[in-house]
Amino acid sequence: MIRTVATTPFDGQKPGTSGLRKKVPVFQQPHYVENFVQSVFDSLENYEGETLVIGGDGRYFNREAIQTVIKMAAAAGFGRVLVGKGGILSTPAASCVIRKHEAFGGIVLSASHNPGGPHGDFGIKYNIGNGGPAPERITDAIFERSKTIAAYKISDADDIDLDVQGLARVEDMVVDVIDPVEDYAELMAQLFDFGAIRDLFAGGFSMRFDAMSAVTGPYAKAILEGELGAPEGTVVHGEPLPDFGGHHPDPNLVHAKDLYDLLMSDRAPDLGAASDGDGDRNLIIGRGQFVTPSDSLAMIAANAHLAPGYKAGIAGIARSMPTSGAADRVAEKLGITCYETPTGWKFFGNLLDAGLATVCGEESAGTGSSHVREKDGLWAVLMWLNILAARKQSVVEIVREHWATYGRNYYTRHDYEEVDSAAADGLMADLRGRLDGLAGQALGGLTVEKADDFAYHDPVDGSVTTKQGVRVFFTDGSRIVYRLSGTGTAGATLRVYIERFEPDAGKHELETQAALADLIAISRSLPDIEGRTGRSAPDVVT
Ligand code: G16
C-alpha cells in the first residue's frame, strides 16, 4: 500500500558541488532521506512508468537508504528500478547503467571521498538521463522544494533482498537487482586495447591498485585481475567496507601515503593507482614518479588516440578552472579547444552532450571522457595502462617527454580544513572587495597582472554561473586561485591552488613545493590566512 506521510522541512537540504552531503546521524533523522528524495521527485516531470537506477558506494547507511528510495520510487510511479547487487554501484558504473538502459535518471548514494561509518558522511545525488549529475537548475529546484515540503509518498512493502540478483516487485514497479560490474566492464573492453594490456601484464609488468576498501574493489578485481590477467593480489583493500576500514577513501598523497611510499621505494611496482569511496577519482603514480591530476589530464589528452575508443582523436578538452593549464597546451598543439568550467563535474555534461569535449578532468583527481557523464577512476587507470602498453615506455619516461614537449606546470593545492565558516566567508569577501586594486601591485617579488572572480558562460545553454573562485594572475604567467569547497560537511574548507609554468626543461626536476615557494608565501599573506583563520599552514597539501 502507498502511504502519504505528513512532514515538515529540514534546513539546509541544499545540494553542494556534488549532491547533498551530511553526517550520517543527520541522514538518520526520521523523514530526512524521505524529504530529500521526495523533493527530487517533485522537481522532475514525466517519469511515470520510466526506469530509475539506484546504487551506492556501500558506505554505512547505504542499504537502509536504498530500501527507502526503492519504496519511494514505487510510490512515485516509476515503472522499474535497476539496483546494483548488495546496493553497490560505483558512480561511473551508475552513469554507465543509466545510459545503456536509457533510464530516466538515477539516485547515487555516496559521499564520495569523505570518510564513512556511523559518525562519517553520507550523501545523495540525483543524476539525469544522460548519466551525469543534475545541472544547477534541477539542484536549485530540489532545494527550493525541500523548503516547503509538507508530505511524501512511500510504499509500505517489505524490504527487497539486495543480495539476490533478479526480479522482484514493489507495488506496480519492477525491481531488477543487477550485477554491478557487468555493464561497466563491457564498456571498458570496448574503449581500451585489452589484448595489449594483457600482453603487458603477461610480460611481467607489475602494479598495485589500492581500492581503499571502497566501491572500486569488485570492478578492479574483475577487470584487472580477471580480464587483464594481472596477478592475484594486484588489487589491495578490494572489499568494500561500510566504514572503509576506518580510512579516509581519498586517493591523494595524504590518504594514500602507503602507496606513494611504496612507489618511491626500491620495491616499487611499475604502476601504483588508487580510487576513492565511490570510484570516480583516481591516483596515478609511476615508479618514482607521481603524476598530478592536472598533468594526468594533459597526458591522457595527448595520448588518447592510442586507445581504440579514441583512435579518431578527441574533439576538445574540458578542465575545471582551478585545474592547471597543462591541458591547454595539449589542446593548442592538437588544434582543439580547451574549455574552462567551474569546479563540479556537472558543468562538463553540456560540453560532452554537444560533442564539444571528449576528455575532461579536474585537479581534484577526477578524469573522464564522453563514455559516461561522471569522472571515472578505473577508466583513467585503464587509459594509463593502454598508453603504457602502446608506447612501451615507463611512466617516468612518458612524463619527462611530455614536459620536454609542452613545458611543465608546477602545481599544488593547499587545503585549510574545518575553518570557521564566518572567517572563511570573510576572507573571500575581503579578497573579492580588493580585486579591482590588485593589478599592478608588487607582491613578494612578483607583479599582479590581473585579478578576477571566475564566471562561466556555458556555450551550450547560455547559462551563467558566477563567483566560482578568485583568481590572481602574475605577469610571469603564475596563478593563485582561492575558493571554498562545496563538498565538506563541517565548517568551511579553503582551497588555495598555486601554479607556475616552466618552459625550460633544465628546470623540470625541482621539488614542487620548493619550485612554488614564493607563490606559496604570497598565497598566505595576500588574504592574511593566519590572521583571519588562525591557521599558519594548510592541513592537506596535494
Ligand atoms: C566533487 C565534484 C568535483 C569536484 C570535487 C571537489 O568530487 O564532483 O567536480 O572537483 O568534488 O569539489 P570541492 O572543491 O567543491 O570540494 P567528488 O569526487 O567528491 O564527487
Side-chain angles (χ1 to χ4, degrees), residues 57 90-92 184 215-216 275-281 375-378:
D57 61 13
S90 76
T91 291
Y184 178 84
V215 79
T216 322
S275 192
D276 70 332
D278 63 334
D280 56 3
R281 295 187 176 205
K375 55 187 185 272
D376 188 342
L378 198 47

Side-chain angles (χ1 to χ4, degrees), residues 17 112-113 281 344-345 362 364 375 483 485-487 495:
T17 307
S112 189
H113 54 287
R281 295 187 176 205
W345 203 263
E362 296 189 281
S364 56
K375 55 187 185 272
R483 62 178 282 279
S485 160
T487 55
R495 299 208 197 283

Side-chain angles (χ1 to χ4, degrees), residues 185-207 221-231 234 270 308 381-390 392:
E186 185 187 291
L187 178 59
M188 293 302 113
Q190 288 163 15
L191 298 176
F192 298 113
D193 187 346
F194 272 23
I197 303 175
R198 250 180 239 126
D199 290 346
L200 186 72
F201 281 118
F205 182 88
S206 58
M207 175 180 184
K221 275 193 199 162
I223 296 173
L224 297 175
E225 295 182 5
E227 299 203 25
L228 296 172
T234 297
D270 295 301
V381 176
L382 292 167
M383 179 62 98
W384 267 97
L385 284 169
N386 197 137
I387 294 168
L388 293 167
K392 303 190 188 327

Side-chain angles (χ1 to χ4, degrees), residues 35 38 64 69 113 119 152 166 174 176 199 234 248 267 281 306 312 318 359 378 419 448 473 491 494 503 520 539:
N35 273 22
Q38 190 67 53
E64 293 87 335
V69 177
H113 54 287
H119 305 290
Y152 60 82
V174 173
D176 193 351
D199 290 346
T234 297
H248 198 135
R267 294 173 296 116
R281 295 187 176 205
L306 299 173
V359 171
L378 198 47
V419 169
V448 177
F473 297 92
L494 171 66
I520 290 170
D539 302 275

Side-chain angles (χ1 to χ4, degrees), residues 455-477:
Y456 179 58
H457 299 253
D458 186 308
V460 179
D461 67 13
S463 61
V464 178
T465 310
T466 57
K467 297 183 95 172
Q468 293 300 306
V470 167
R471 306 188 290 183
V472 182
F473 297 92
F474 296 88
T475 51
D476 72 343

